[in-house]
Amino acid sequence: MKLDETHDPALESWVESANERYAEFPIQNLPFGRFRRSGGPPRIGVAIGDQVFEIEETSLNALAARGRRAATQLRLELSRELRRGNPNPPIDRLHPMTECEMLLPFDIGDYTDFYASIHHATSVGKMMRPDNPLLPNYKWVPIGYHGRASSVVVSGTPVHRPSGQIQQGSDAPVFAPSRQLDYECEVGFFIGSGNALGEPIPIAEAEDHLFGFCLLNDWSARDIQRWEYQPLGPFLAKSFATTISPWVVTLDALEPFRKPTAARPEGDPAPLPHLTGGDAFDITVEVWMRSAKMERLIRLSQTWFDQMYWNPAQMIAHHASNGCNLRPGDLLGSGTVSGPGRNALADERGCLLEITQRGTEPVELPTGEKRTFLEDGDEVHLRGYCERDGFRRIGFGGCRGTLVP
């Protein structure tokens, strides 16, 4: 771990709301985001307590392009500026979050979604290939596909139910609204400094190209996807919307929650040399939802990002291994974060396809309603946080979307 004075759990801020025990944004976090006030121009800030602290940067893409060292130095300066005891606290740069409209943090040039949870891949694979759920390449290569950057939206943006070709049994396909609309609970991460076209990123240097993390919901139309995905993979079933949280938690803020990637089960192949390395990050991710008839959110699942089969460094190194040029602000999704099933405290499965076993085991809501997939008016929230003895708990803010006709 690369710890410094910014990780000291005793640090407090002159922004009092940041010092509350369960504050998502204590001074040890300081995630970056883009916002505007009263319809004004976009600005860059960091979250501190229930406030946004405006900074002089004009673009997160430009900050990311300067590399991790520049972001680390800026975070250190902001930490010192926001600490309790600053004799001249710049209160004029502080704005209540309730008065800020959050925007996409980066200008996202490209978006790639991976399939890095072996628990999710196995669970879904069993539905289609009960005797052979994992395809032969899964344990050798991080599986991914190129998503659609233009339809990445910030938390709170309504999501319109997509239409597409749907085929059932031996019938001819029809063009209709999806009836199997699902969420996917994911962790996203943004590229910092990129690489030149034709120059791979060695895995030992992969994290130097990683700026920070967000929550990501890659909405999925399962019935459209089932018809279109062979042989080239997801297309219209995914490209209608991907929701991300507005705050980007930096790699530096996550240092206390770094841990070795879990050992592979006996008999699994070791990663090839160019994919050997990288760490996991202990991030808890939860899915909450409510229907239009419900007053309160209910939790559907709780799962852990450190259970992924492939870690972020491996995904970055693989993406660039053929010389593909990653650019500042590019977004990578982890794929659905799922655990092996259900434990004593929570369901660990990160999508309704898994939770309802392809619609055969409906979820019953407190109102008596049942869900196999999402209905219009359903609201889905992703929440994420990190906690570890000896360090301040930090959060990711919300990733929220409501399905509309």
Side-chain angles (χ1 to χ4, degrees):
M1 293 185 289
K2 301 175 183 177
L3 302 182
D4 59 27
E5 63 187 72
T6 67
H7 301 106
D8 183 351
L11 287 182
E12 291 191 335
S13 173
W14 49 265
V15 181
E16 291 297 336
S17 59
N19 304 322
E20 296 174 3
R21 181 178 179 184
Y22 290 107
E24 288 206 282
F25 306 122
I27 194 169
Q28 291 82 359
N29 193 348
L30 302 181
F32 289 90
R34 182 163 57 171
F35 72 101
R36 64 182 168 207
R37 301 179 68 226
S38 303
R43 307 175 185 184
I44 303 298
V46 292
I48 179 75
D50 60 3
Q51 306 286 310
V52 179
F53 185 67
E54 187 174 346
I55 62 177
E56 295 180 3
E57 295 288 333
T58 58
S59 164
L60 282 186
N61 291 70
L63 172 62
R66 299 204 297 271
R68 185 179 178 189
R69 184 174 299 179
T72 299
Q73 180 61 35
L74 176 58
R75 182 173 172 277
L76 173 61
E77 294 168 2
L78 291 169
S79 174
R80 291 171 175 172
E81 200 167 13
L82 287 164
R83 289 177 199 175
R84 189 188 299 280
N86 182 350
N88 297 298
I91 299 175
D92 59 316
R93 291 160 57 189
L94 208 61
H95 309 293
M97 284 189 183
T98 54
E99 298 178 6
C100 297
E101 176 191 358
M102 298 308 300
L103 309 172
L104 285 174
F106 284 89
D107 294 322
I108 302 170
D110 286 295
Y111 162 50
T112 301
D113 195 38
F114 282 90
Y115 195 53
S117 168
I118 195 169
H119 301 300
H120 174 65
T122 301
S123 177
V124 173
K126 284 180 178 178
M127 298 176 193
M128 297 177 284
R129 300 175 300 276
D131 297 328
N132 188 27
L134 290 179
L135 294 174
N137 62 353
Y138 189 86
K139 296 179 180 180
W140 292 96
V141 59
I143 304 299
Y145 76 94
H146 293 292
R148 180 74 184 176
S150 65
S151 54
V152 177
V153 296
V154 73
S155 175
T157 304
V159 174
H160 294 265
R161 181 180 295 275
S163 293
Q165 285 195 25
I166 300 170
Q167 191 272 339
Q168 293 182 324
S170 59
D171 296 340
V174 297
F175 184 80
S178 170
R179 298 311 309 165
Q180 296 184 349
L181 208 289
D182 201 357
Y183 60 81
E184 288 192 337
C185 170
E186 303 192 22
V187 172
F189 41 103
F190 285 98
I191 296 298
S193 58
N195 59 303
L197 181 64
E199 296 183 5
I201 296 175
I203 192 164
E205 301 173 13
E207 288 186 4
D208 293 337
H209 296 265
L210 201 169
F211 182 84
F213 294 74
C214 67
L215 302 178
L216 186 152
N217 181 351
D218 196 30
W219 306 87
S220 298
R222 303 298 187 185
D223 42 6
I224 297 173
Q225 183 175 353
R226 190 179 307 118
W227 175 241
E228 73 174 6
Y229 86 99
Q230 300 186 59
L232 296 182
F235 188 51
L236 299 183
K238 297 274 194 176
S239 62
F240 60 96
T242 300
T243 303
I244 64 171
S245 53
W247 296 107
V248 182
V249 178
T250 63
L251 191 59
D252 290 301
L254 288 173
E255 282 295 337
F257 312 102
R258 178 190 292 274
K259 62 189 299 186
T261 299
R264 292 191 166 191
E266 185 177 351
D268 281 12
L272 294 176
H274 74 291
L275 296 176
T276 299
D279 285 330
F281 293 89
D282 191 2
I283 303 171
T284 301
V285 191
E286 299 179 344
V287 180
W288 295 68
M289 76 155 289
R290 67 178 162 207
S291 72
K293 296 180 180 180
M294 293 167 57
E295 293 184 0
R296 295 186 178 91
L297 293 160
I298 61 167
R299 190 177 69 180
L300 294 182
S301 66
Q302 181 184 57
T303 188
W304 293 270
F305 186 56
D306 63 342
Q307 296 184 4
M308 305 298 274
Y309 197 77
W310 299 100
N311 63 48
Q314 290 171 319
M315 289 183 257
I316 291 171
H318 173 64
H319 202 321
S321 62
N322 67 342
C324 172
N325 53 321
L326 303 180
R327 296 176 295 185
D330 281 358
L331 174 63
L332 278 62
S334 65
T336 302
V337 182
S338 285
R342 183 177 179 86
N343 61 36
L345 299 177
D347 199 307
E348 300 178 36
R349 296 171 290 184
C351 63
L352 285 175
L353 180 68
E354 290 184 76
I355 291 174
T356 70
Q357 289 297 289
R358 210 174 184 178
T360 62
E361 300 175 10
V363 173
E364 186 162 342
L365 304 180
T367 55
E369 301 171 89
K370 294 183 178 181
R371 289 291 183 272
T372 53
F373 293 97
L374 297 173
E375 300 291 340
D376 293 343
D378 287 350
E379 188 175 347
V380 179
H381 288 236
L382 305 187
R383 295 174 176 172
Y385 57 89
C386 302
E387 52 188 3
R388 182 178 182 179
D389 290 344
F391 295 95
R392 274 300 301 266
R393 183 184 192 271
I394 66 172
F396 282 71
C399 178
R400 173 175 56 88
T402 301
L403 187 62
V404 298

